Amino acid sequence: MSNYAEGAPAVRTRRANPMGAYLTVAGIALFTIAVFLDWLSADIGDAARTDGRSVSGYETDPLIPFIAYLGIGLAAALLYAMTRAYRRQHRGLTLTSMAVGIAATLLALSYLVDAPGVSENGADVSAEVGVWLALVGGLLWAAGSGLFAKEIEGDDHLDDDAYGRDLSA
């Protein structure tokens, strides 16, 4: 039984569920790991050797590790905001993370469809495991950010009533 001799306990406000943020961090981790795996391999038609030289995402395009490093910064900011922000999130940061996650997904998808810049060399290349892992990581990143963005944010209707703001406009 509760002791209410000192008054009723303080009512806690609803806070954002961190599952979306954790899913975002997992997607960012997968995308970052994928940067260092093979992304493209050159197909050589030699009978003795069927696989050509493979290159990692880090060697393929400088934009790939940049997006991974940007994701690491966004993950750190999301986790920090969960500990400091009222109701555990900052919606602008979450939506920024979702936009970068969508861009990471589209980047990986572009390497699956047709690797950028390969047509000018005339080389026949195929996607490797790093592209697939980056695609899964980008999807998790974007979906997790979307889940977290739909959670409640610091501003709510109680604050609007307290400050006399009209929401009907």
Side-chain angles (χ1 to χ4, degrees):
M1 297 200 70
S2 299
N3 182 6
Y4 292 109
E6 298 174 10
V11 177
R12 290 188 55 114
T13 59
R14 185 173 164 242
R15 297 184 77 188
N17 183 357
M19 184 55 66
Y22 298 147
L23 192 61
T24 299
V25 171
I28 291 170
L30 284 177
F31 191 90
T32 303
I33 291 168
V35 167
F36 300 102
L37 298 176
D38 290 339
W39 275 53
L40 298 174
S41 68
D43 295 331
I44 299 174
D46 188 70
R49 193 173 134 180
T50 57
D51 292 330
R53 180 177 181 273
S54 295
V55 291
S56 68
Y58 193 82
E59 298 167 325
T60 302
D61 186 359
L63 185 61
I64 297 168
F66 172 75
I67 287 183
Y69 301 149
L70 181 62
I72 292 170
L74 287 169
L78 278 174
L79 293 175
Y80 181 70
M82 279 179 33
T83 62
R84 299 287 302 172
Y86 180 65
R87 300 225 174 145
R88 283 197 192 141
Q89 81 150 315
H90 185 278
R91 183 147 307 137
L93 176 64
T94 307
L95 292 174
T96 301
S97 176
M98 187 171 75
V100 177
I102 291 170
T105 303
L106 292 175
L107 179 67
L109 193 60
S110 71
Y111 275 88
L112 281 175
V113 174
D114 187 26
V118 173
S119 62
E120 55 199 40
N121 295 341
D124 186 24
V125 295
S126 59
E128 291 292 324
V129 68
V131 177
W132 291 101
L133 189 62
L135 181 65
V136 170
L139 287 171
L140 284 175
W141 181 351
S145 295
L147 283 174
F148 198 47
K150 75 175 194 143
E151 288 292 325
I152 193 162
E153 191 187 10
D155 297 331
D156 62 356
H157 299 294
L158 295 174
D159 291 340
D160 290 329
D161 292 340
Y163 291 107
R165 289 180 271 189
D166 185 21
L167 296 175
S168 62

